[in-house]
């Protein structure tokens, strides 16, 4: 896997997943060539949602980069003999940040009031060369969307991190990125909560054993209904395999 090599496209439930690539380096290369990219970090829940949500499906199919964020997606690729490492979106962003030069600014949008600001402050210390374009919480009404976009565009960010949850972040990125087509746009889900220190990532043991979902269920038991998407995803992947 050499830096800058273009990703290879594979498929899970008819959706693209890109593999065999140093994603962070490839994205920075794209940025420097003036090519913006919409990055989707796909997991089982999103893949299942895309089966009934046509707009989400089309966004994933047209995204410049779809990375295997969830253990379920990695498992599904493995069933067809494709061993790929899992790359959570949160880790991808942490790999991109130190590569940015001061003219490549980052905008943070999402999470509860104060969180994005706290993350921006921490990043200024952790990555002294990183320039923050701006930040704003993710609790705004649909009628405020134009104003939020205007705030972002004004700061000319090279990287826009949108953490509003799926699928709203994907819908907005699709709609908004026309205004900044040369930037990288990444839907980061609940990553700001983790960076801000208000939620914890699963300990390494859970990550290494594809059990991050189990830790999340323990942390946020009210998500159990959403998590039914996981066994549903597994059964659907197996059923599609049998059909073939
Ligand atoms: N969020 C937000 N605005 C909203 C609803 C949610 O900014 O109107 C944030 C929420 O605070 C959290 C993130 O979106 O930080 C969603 O996190 P979750 O872990 O549910 O993301 P997903 O599982 O969809 O990736």
């Amino acid at each position: 896997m050499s830096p800058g090599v273009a990703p290879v496209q594979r498929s899970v439930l008819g959706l693209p997943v890109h593999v065999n690539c140093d994603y962070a380096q490839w994205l920075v290369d794209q940025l420097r060539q003036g090519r913006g990219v919409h990055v989707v970090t796909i997991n089982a829940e999103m893949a299942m949602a895309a089966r009934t949500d046509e707009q989400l499906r089309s966004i994933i199919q047209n995204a410049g980069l779809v990375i295997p964020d969830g253990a379920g997606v990695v498992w599904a690729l493995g069933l067809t003999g494709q061993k790929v490492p899992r790359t959570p979106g949160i880790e991808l962003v942490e790999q991109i940040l130190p590569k940015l030069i001061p003219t490549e600014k980052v905008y943070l949008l999402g999470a509860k009031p104060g969180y994005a600001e706290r993350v921006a402050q921490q990043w200024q210390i952790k990555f002294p060369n990183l320039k923050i374009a701006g930040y704003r919480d993710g609790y705004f009404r649909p009628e405020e969307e134009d104003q939020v976009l205007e705030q972002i565009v004004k700061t000319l960010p090279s990287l826009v991190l949108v953490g509003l949850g799926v699928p709203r972040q994907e819908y907005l990125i699709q709609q908004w990125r026309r205004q900044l087509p040369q930037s990288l746009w990444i839907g980061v889900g609940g990553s700001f909560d983790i960076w801000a220190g208000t939620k914890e990532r699963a300990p390494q043991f859970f990550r290494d054993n594809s059990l991050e979902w189990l830790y999340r269920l323990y942390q946020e038991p009210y998500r159990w209904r959403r998590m039914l998407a996981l066994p549903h995803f597994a059964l659907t992947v197996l059923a599609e395999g049998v059909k073939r």
Side-chain angles (χ1 to χ4, degrees):
M1 199 157 61
S2 35
V5 169
V8 176
Q9 185 171 317
R10 302 283 183 228
S11 170
V12 170
L13 293 183
L15 300 168
V17 182
H18 296 110
V19 300
N20 271 356
C21 170
D22 178 340
Y23 302 117
Q25 189 56 49
W26 183 76
L27 286 168
V28 171
D29 288 351
Q30 299 305 299
L31 178 67
R32 298 203 176 135
Q33 287 164 35
R35 293 194 216 122
V37 182
H38 178 177
V39 182
V40 169
T41 69
I42 197 166
N43 60 18
E45 194 181 347
M46 191 194 251
M48 289 315 286
R51 289 178 82 73
T52 48
D53 181 337
E54 210 173 296
Q55 187 182 354
L56 180 62
R57 185 162 68 243
S58 153
I59 291 172
I60 299 170
Q61 280 164 343
N62 290 300
L65 187 70
V66 183
I67 65 162
D69 176 283
V73 171
V74 168
W75 166 80
L77 288 166
L79 285 183
T80 55
Q82 304 161 71
K83 273 202 181 330
V84 302
R86 178 178 167 230
T87 305
I90 191 163
E91 290 178 15
L92 172 66
V93 173
E94 288 165 4
Q95 288 162 16
I96 297 173
L97 295 178
K99 293 184 188 290
L100 297 181
I101 52 175
T103 48
E104 297 164 340
K105 296 178 284 181
V106 55
Y107 195 100
L108 298 75
L109 173 71
K112 293 187 183 142
Y115 287 25
E117 180 178 5
R118 194 183 318 168
V119 175
Q121 285 165 355
Q122 288 170 6
W123 282 355
Q124 296 278 242
I125 298 166
K126 192 164 173 199
F127 308 105
N129 285 330
L130 185 69
K131 287 277 172 286
I132 304 290
Y135 46 78
R136 142 157 223 157
D137 68 85
Y139 289 81
F140 49 88
R141 293 188 300 275
E143 55 273 27
E144 294 175 292
E145 285 172 5
D146 286 348
Q147 181 218 328
V148 172
L149 173 61
E150 212 175 290
Q151 274 182 5
I152 299 173
V153 171
K154 218 169 45 190
T155 67
L156 295 176
S158 295
L159 171 63
V160 190
L161 304 175
V162 186
L164 305 171
V166 177
R168 189 168 174 221
Q169 63 192 24
E170 279 71 31
Y171 294 164
L172 284 179
I173 291 176
Q174 180 202 35
Q175 196 185 316
W176 287 355
R177 67 180 286 260
R178 272 173 249 145
Q179 303 277 334
L180 286 172
Q182 297 187 326
S183 304
L184 306 176
W185 291 75
I186 312 182
V188 295
S191 300
F192 290 124
D193 299 337
I194 292 170
W195 286 317
T198 57
K199 256 186 214 160
E200 257 176 63
R201 267 196 87 187
Q204 200 64 43
F205 169 82
F206 288 83
R207 294 190 221 166
D208 290 348
N209 290 285
S210 302
L211 290 171
E212 207 157 352
W213 61 272
L214 184 63
Y215 189 78
R216 195 144 194 208
L217 187 61
Y218 156 74
Q219 259 190 331
E220 303 165 71
Y222 52 85
R223 290 174 81 100
W224 70 271
R225 199 182 287 277
R226 276 180 65 177
M227 285 191 160
L228 290 178
L230 274 163
H232 194 186
F233 169 83
L235 290 173
T236 311
V237 168
L238 293 172
E240 300 261 313
V242 170
K243 252 196 266 164
R244 271 202 301 276

